[in-house]
Amino acid sequence: MNQKLLSGILKSVSKPGRYTGGEFNSIIKDKSKVDVRFAFCFPDTYEIGMSNLGVRILYEALNQKENVWCERVYAPWVDMDEKMQEYGIPLSAHESGDAVKDFDIVAFTLQYEMCYTTALHMLKLAGLPLLAKDRGEDAPVILGGGPCAYNPEPVADFFDIFSIGEGEEALPELCALYAEMKKSGRYTKSAFLREAAKLEGFYVPSLYSVSYREDGTIEAYTPLYEDVPKTVRKRIIKDLDEAVYPEKLVMPYIETVHDRVVLEVNRGCIRGCRFCQAGMVYRPIREKSPEKLCKLAKCLYENSGYQEISLISLSISDYSRIAELTDLLLEWTDERHVSLSLPSLRIDSFSEELMKKVSSIRTGGITFAPEAGTQRLRDAINKNVTEEDLMQAVGIAFGAGKNNVKLYFMNGLPTEEVEDVVAIADLAKKVVHRFYQTPNRNKARPVSVTVSVSCFVPKPFTPFQWVGQDTLASLKEKQEALRLAIQDKKIRYNWHDAEVSHIEAVFARGDRRLSAALLLAAEENMMFDAWDEFFSFEKWLDVFARAGIDPAFYANRTFGLDECLPWDIIDCGVSKSYLKREYERAYRHETTPNCAEHCNGCGANKLGGKTKWCR
Amino acid sequence: MVPIIADDAILYPAATLRVRFRKTGALQYISHLDLVRTFEKVLVRAGLPLWYSEGFNPHPRFSFSTPMSIGLESLYELMDVKIEKKVNCEAVKEALNRNLTAECVVEEVYYPDTKFTDISLASYEIVLQTAGADEALAEKCGAALRGSPVTVLKRTKSGEKETDISPMIIKSEASFAEGKILLAVTLTVDNEKFLNPEYIVTYLKETLGVLSGSPLEEAYSILRTGLYGKSGELFR
Ligand code: SF4
């Protein structure tokens, strides 16, 4: 337990169980016997961080190394944060309670752009200078990773090094290098970073100079030394069946976001939706075998006591052996009162059979994501589902006794017109209508259709990476048009804050110059921007103005196809020529077949890996 | 190793098993509800032949003797679990302890012949580490708690209310040792007359000004030491 947090303080904050540690299965090592103290920071609350699968996998992968002790660190909630600042208590690690600033490597997983301020705030709480160039030899090596590291540039000035791609093998390698250099006396921070830059999948931003053109766009990235790679290729795990996966879970004492066993079924997605970053950066598509998954599931159930197993995947129904897997699991889960949950069901693969298996014990809501209201726009984004698919899927759901469904859409998609947005209302109406056409519908309760609309954010390494985001005015206008178009009381309409999406777009497509704004944001104590109650658009506009940054340059400008992009320094496998091809097809409203039908030569196959489809 | 299950026959009706445990350290910061969630998983992990409720969403059935508020450590907690097969108590105890940390330890597992509704009193050791702690202040604390009325703002179903809690304080003794004030109190824990020991500390804070300094230097702890029946006998 973290003894350094005093009981008087713990008793005065909300949910003190967030801070105490001491969880069952948390890993305690003898610090005198390890070479590398590794602090794995999650820049959000304990409840969210504890539910993150990536953290669990990497915690296991690092702690399997005898000479490495990886501990967890979470962002204290605002009440605790205040107390820590008031009494000068530094940010500490969950397992040992030792101050983060005394660790060897401090890693942050960057899951969403809106966590950047929280990450910087944690550095501040740890008592570390924010800018990499201001931290001395004694300061830990600060590492960034996670999905946002595919465009690390907006935070490049704060980090010493980024891990690009899958970290299960890469991070232990980095630790081994660190331990070896410390032991042999070769270690200085700069020597270490220089060496680390030669490992596959590590990007050291300080080893590149960036030049800009007069119009503000990037001219080039130039490595400072001969032996520094021109681009950094992401790491992948070649064979998922052989990948490290925890067999024991750290068991939180307090309720977290996902209190269940989470089984990662595959990586990558065969679909190629043109707005989806995950669908591109996790390529090539690799699967685990049902046998391996079932064994893992049983082991995790026995070691955790969770009564729910959630299969996760970008698109679970595209897992090529889904029937086999669910059958294997149901052999033992039913009798032990363990329920299965399958999120992210695709509309066109939703079947009665799947529904029966999944709802066999527990039932929850059903969510489908048509993403757009018209077929034309669905074709432009390559969603590859039709209205008939949706009607059939909701028909099955209603027939099985469901009376509420949730539909996810996006607005502001490239090529979108107001008609496309208003069509969402028609589609929702048809779903309501479909309910009343279902003979064996559940008549006990009224039907309810929830329409949830988020705003499109152009993301790096997607075919839409070049596209400027709709202006705020246009996004809001479309949101309002849809609100007016939805008249039916049975349809509930939720929409996402367009202002948050705008800031997200700035950072998603930002470059190094944004660090000036982030520094000001840190001075303003901005954090938890992913939380509605803390996000302040005015504050963001203010820091951008003070830093001399025009947010529209990053968010709303359509980038030139031949422009050097901030993330060109990273090679995520998928080639730029493929993305360009897809971009052009989008504007011709042409769909592209999925990888199971036909390999489209995206380029990710060059990374290798045991895959079924890649040619 | 002795197996947990003593007899494979399904019991009708389900049997009740009592688990006595202590929880200290980090466990004091876990809310009652979170402790319930934690134990649900511990019981499954330990492999107990749990009885599941019927219906749509089957759940194991178990309950705790008395509410445990945040900040409370305890040497004497009881939990009743419904099981569908006869078990070896000692094996259950070992299995539970393998699935708990050192801050939560099962001391005894047995088939009970009492009901939680018969619990009437609980004893506590409260330690105050406060500026100005000495014999005299200790005596004052003891006297204050023995006096009447002892008025606190008490949370009730109908909001906060000024309440005289002196009838709920059955015993209170104070002493001074190693720079700290030690209070040994016995409070009522019957359903309607449940007194959270936090109120004792709150009352002393408000009336005698203890613990008014920095949390870096001052602290208090509350430890439940026993549960008792109506006539003061140790509840088992
Ligand atoms: S290489 Fe072909 S099959 Fe593999 S992810 Fe790319 S397009 Fe799909």
Side-chain angles (χ1 to χ4, degrees):
Chain A
M1 134 146 195
N2 186 343
Q3 299 292 356
K4 287 163 195 164
L5 287 172
L6 296 126
S7 73
I9 288 172
L10 284 170
K11 284 177 187 172
S12 68
V13 298
S14 59
K15 298 198 200 165
R18 285 166 166 164
Y19 310 108
T20 51
E23 305 102 324
F24 185 70
N25 283 341
S26 67
I27 295 172
I28 303 293
K29 293 190 180 183
D30 178 349
K31 54 185 162 193
S32 67
K33 292 199 179 112
V34 296
D35 300 326
V36 184
R37 300 280 308 267
F38 194 104
F40 203 120
C41 305
F42 193 93
D44 212 314
T45 62
Y46 175 82
E47 294 93 309
I48 296 176
M50 275 300 280
S51 305
N52 184 273
L53 177 63
V55 177
R56 290 189 153 165
I57 292 177
L58 295 172
Y59 184 74
E60 173 70 20
L62 286 161
N63 279 317
Q64 277 188 2
K65 303 288 166 202
E66 216 174 298
N67 66 337
V68 179
W69 185 12
C70 171
E71 301 184 47
R72 297 158 299 142
V73 187
Y74 305 96
W77 190 238
V78 283
D79 55 353
M80 181 54 120
D81 177 61
E82 242 169 61
K83 301 266 172 194
M84 289 170 72
Q85 298 198 44
E86 182 179 350
Y87 296 107
I89 301 167
L91 186 69
S92 59
H94 225 63
E95 280 79 357
S96 64
D98 290 343
V100 166
K101 68 169 188 325
D102 299 329
F103 277 66
D104 295 304
I105 300 176
V106 175
F108 284 85
T109 172
L110 304 169
Q111 297 282 323
Y112 21 83
E113 289 82 3
M114 301 318 285
C115 77
Y116 290 165
T117 48
T118 312
L120 295 184
H121 189 79
M122 287 172 78
L123 277 179
K124 243 170 60 175
L125 265 186
L128 290 163
L130 297 184
L131 290 168
K133 66 174 171 53
D134 295 341
R135 288 190 298 262
E137 275 298 313
D138 290 347
V141 172
I142 309 292
L143 177 139
C148 287
Y150 284 106
N151 176 20
E153 289 306 278
V155 286
D157 287 351
F158 306 106
F159 286 84
D160 297 307
I161 184 165
F162 289 95
S163 162
I164 310 297
E166 297 163 9
E168 294 100 316
E169 291 169 356
L171 293 184
E173 271 171 39
L174 187 75
C175 289
L177 175 69
Y178 183 92
E180 185 273 308
M181 289 183 76
K182 277 269 168 168
K183 270 204 179 131
S184 66
R186 283 203 294 149
Y187 182 90
T188 61
K189 198 187 273 177
S190 61
F192 169 70
L193 292 175
R194 183 83 174 271
E195 280 297 308
K198 291 182 208 158
L199 296 176
E200 205 188 9
F202 287 100
Y203 169 53
V204 179
S206 60
L207 295 178
Y208 299 82
S209 74
V210 189
S211 52
Y212 301 93
R213 295 178 195 280
E214 245 167 56
D215 62 2
T217 59
I218 294 167
E219 185 178 44
Y221 277 82
T222 318
L224 297 183
Y225 306 98
E226 284 272 298
D227 58 354
V228 175
K230 289 204 168 53
T231 55
V232 177
R233 183 177 284 190
K234 83 164 182 211
R235 287 288 288 267
I236 63 158
I237 298 298
K238 299 260 155 55
D239 183 351
L240 279 197
D241 270 347
E242 302 299 320
V244 174
Y245 208 79
E247 296 190 349
K248 286 180 178 175
L249 302 174
V250 177
M251 299 299 298
Y253 281 120
I254 67 168
E255 190 178 21
T256 63
V257 181
H258 300 309
D259 280 319
R260 54 186 176 235
V261 168
V262 171
L263 266 194
E264 185 192 31
V265 170
N266 55 5
R267 277 186 201 170
C269 177
I270 60 171
R271 296 288 164 171
C273 297
R274 292 176 181 136
F275 55 84
C276 179
Q277 187 186 39
M280 296 293 156
V281 298
Y282 296 128
R283 289 180 176 205
I285 305 134
R286 291 143 293 155
E287 298 190 330
K288 278 190 182 160
S289 65
E291 298 76 27
K292 174 84 188 177
L293 285 166
C294 189
K295 226 171 95 189
L296 262 178
K298 201 160 183 182
C299 184
L300 282 164
Y301 158 75
E302 280 166 1
N303 288 330
S304 71
Y306 282 134
Q307 306 248 324
E308 181 179 346
I309 295 174
S310 178
L311 305 182
I312 68 152
S313 158
L314 290 170
S315 174
I316 185 72
S317 39
D318 288 330
Y319 173 53
S320 66
R321 298 169 73 185
I322 183 73
E324 246 175 288
L325 174 63
T326 45
D327 285 345
L328 270 179
L329 288 171
L330 286 168
E331 270 174 25
W332 59 271
T333 50
D334 252 0
E335 64 187 51
R336 296 186 200 202
H337 309 278
V338 175
S339 67
L340 294 186
S341 62
L342 309 184
S344 62
L345 282 170
R346 256 187 81 87
I347 296 169
D348 53 351
S349 52
F350 187 69
S351 68
E352 227 155 318
E353 192 203 346
L354 210 55
M355 169 115 190
K356 263 190 206 129
K357 285 182 187 173
V358 179
S359 66
S360 52
I361 296 183
R362 216 171 283 188
T363 50
I366 284 217
T367 303
F368 293 116
E371 308 291 0
T374 58
Q375 195 58 45
R376 185 204 62 79
L377 188 52
R378 284 194 295 272
D379 288 346
I381 62 174
N382 203 37
K383 188 69 201 176
N384 282 315
V385 295
T386 63
E387 190 175 310
E388 291 81 77
D389 293 333
L390 177 64
M391 291 308 144
Q392 194 190 339
V394 296
I396 294 171
F398 291 146
K402 296 268 174 198
N403 41 18
N404 50 58
V405 294
K406 208 171 181 182
L407 304 175
Y408 277 146
F409 296 92
M410 235 182 251
N411 82 20
L413 285 163
T415 80
E416 179 187 81
E417 302 290 340
V418 177
E419 297 84 76
D420 296 299
V421 179
V422 172
I424 292 173
D426 300 330
L427 202 58
K429 247 183 268 170
K430 287 179 187 159
V431 171
V432 170
H433 189 62
R434 185 72 182 77
F435 176 79
Y436 291 108
Q437 287 176 323
T438 309
N440 44 343
R441 64 180 183 272
N442 177 357
K443 295 186 180 118
R445 272 177 299 158
V447 61
S448 147
V449 175
T450 305
V451 169
S452 219
V453 185
S454 62
C455 302
F456 166 71
V457 176
K459 294 274 172 139
F461 297 112
T462 64
F464 289 154
Q465 64 181 358
W466 293 280
V467 185
Q469 191 183 37
D470 249 5
T471 59
L472 268 183
S474 163
L475 284 172
K476 287 183 177 174
E477 197 183 300
K478 287 173 178 172
Q479 287 177 340
E480 183 59 13
L482 180 53
R483 196 182 64 80
L484 292 173
I486 294 178
Q487 296 292 346
D488 196 327
K489 287 244 158 38
K490 297 175 200 80
I491 304 173
R492 291 216 340 236
Y493 172 40
N494 302 323
W495 63 94
H496 201 265
D497 186 348
E499 285 157 353
V500 176
S501 306
H502 179 64
I503 303 298
E504 216 180 298
V506 173
F507 286 105
R509 299 203 302 161
D511 60 36
R512 281 189 192 189
R513 290 167 294 187
L514 286 175
S515 61
L518 283 169
L519 263 183
L520 291 173
E523 267 170 34
E524 295 287 320
N525 265 327
M526 285 163 70
M527 59 171 164
F528 288 127
D529 276 297
W531 295 72
D532 287 349
E533 62 260 55
F534 298 110
F535 175 82
S536 160
F537 189 55
E538 292 66 40
K539 276 193 182 170
W540 277 112
L541 291 185
D542 176 59
V543 297
F544 285 139
R546 278 159 56 208
I549 284 164
D550 172 17
F553 178 81
Y554 298 103
N556 307 113
R557 184 173 65 92
T558 290
F559 291 3
L561 280 181
D562 299 317
E563 191 176 322
C564 176
L565 304 171
W567 51 94
D568 277 354
I569 189 75
I570 307 294
D571 173 5
C572 84
V574 173
S575 70
K576 209 171 189 176
S577 58
Y578 166 79
L579 295 177
K580 272 186 198 165
R581 239 163 35 228
E582 282 295 297
Y583 172 76
E584 282 155 2
R585 290 174 82 98
Y587 283 85
R588 296 196 302 264
H589 318 140
E590 275 174 28
T591 61
T592 298
N594 69 52
C595 298
E597 292 166 347
H598 175 74
C599 169
N600 300 293
C602 75
N605 56 337
K606 75 175 180 209
L607 299 170
K610 220 172 124 185
T611 135
K612 204 169 171 146
W613 298 284
C614 305
R615 299 276 165 267
Chain B
M1 227 164 46
V2 183
I4 290 176
I5 295 170
D7 186 344
D8 234 2
I10 302 282
L11 299 169
Y12 289 108
T16 298
L17 195 65
R18 185 159 294 170
V19 176
R20 178 163 69 81
F21 64 98
R22 59 185 156 88
K23 58 148 202 145
T24 52
L27 265 292
Q28 72 182 290
Y29 299 108
I30 310 308
S31 71
H32 188 83
L33 193 63
D34 282 330
L35 205 69
V36 170
R37 281 195 199 99
T38 297
F39 263 100
E40 177 163 356
K41 281 162 269 185
V42 171
L43 293 170
V44 172
R45 283 206 295 271
L48 262 65
L50 299 170
W51 180 88
Y52 278 82
S53 61
E54 308 283 321
F56 215 38
N57 197 354
H59 268 287
R61 276 287 161 79
F62 59 100
S63 58
F64 292 92
S65 50
T66 37
M68 290 162 287
S69 44
I70 286 185
L72 175 73
E73 295 181 88
S74 178
L75 300 179
Y76 204 93
E77 289 304 316
L78 303 172
M79 172 180 66
D80 279 358
V81 193
K82 273 199 169 185
I83 49 170
E84 61 167 20
K85 287 177 189 173
K86 208 168 164 250
V87 295
N88 292 310
C89 291
E90 198 55 28
V92 169
K93 179 181 139 180
E94 277 162 25
L96 288 171
N97 280 334
R98 273 197 301 278
N99 286 286
L100 288 161
T101 63
E103 292 175 319
C104 190
V105 178
V106 173
E107 313 257 26
E108 194 184 1
V109 174
Y110 54 97
Y111 289 100
D113 46 23
T114 53
K115 287 208 158 57
F116 287 160
T117 44
D118 296 330
I119 298 174
S120 175
L121 304 171
S123 56
Y124 299 90
E125 258 174 47
I126 302 175
V127 180
L128 308 177
Q129 192 182 330
T130 173
D134 58 14
E135 295 277 356
L137 187 59
E139 220 144 275
K140 264 197 213 162
C141 289
L145 295 173
R146 284 189 295 270
S148 171
V150 176
T151 313
V152 295
L153 209 54
K154 194 171 185 290
R155 229 175 301 130
T156 64
K157 277 178 206 122
S158 49
E160 292 205 322
K161 226 169 50 196
E162 291 255 320
T163 312
D164 175 16
I165 57 171
S166 64
M168 301 175 178
I169 306 174
I170 303 308
K171 194 189 97 180
S172 86
E173 278 163 14
S175 58
F176 174 78
E178 291 169 10
K180 294 170 190 161
I181 294 172
L182 313 176
L183 303 167
V185 298
T186 300
L187 311 176
T188 57
V189 289
D190 313 61
N191 241 343
E192 316 85 78
K193 288 194 292 176
F194 180 81
L195 182 63
N196 186 335
E198 277 293 326
Y199 286 117
I200 300 291
V201 179
T202 310
Y203 179 70
L204 296 176
K205 270 187 191 170
E206 280 166 8
T207 54
L208 298 175
V210 299
L211 299 167
S212 55
S214 154
L216 298 184
E217 276 127 36
E218 301 195 327
Y220 67 94
S221 61
I222 303 174
L223 177 70
R224 188 183 275 160
T225 50
L227 293 170
Y228 308 88
K230 296 237 166 7
S231 44
E233 77 286 3
L234 188 70
F235 182 85
R236 269 186 49 84

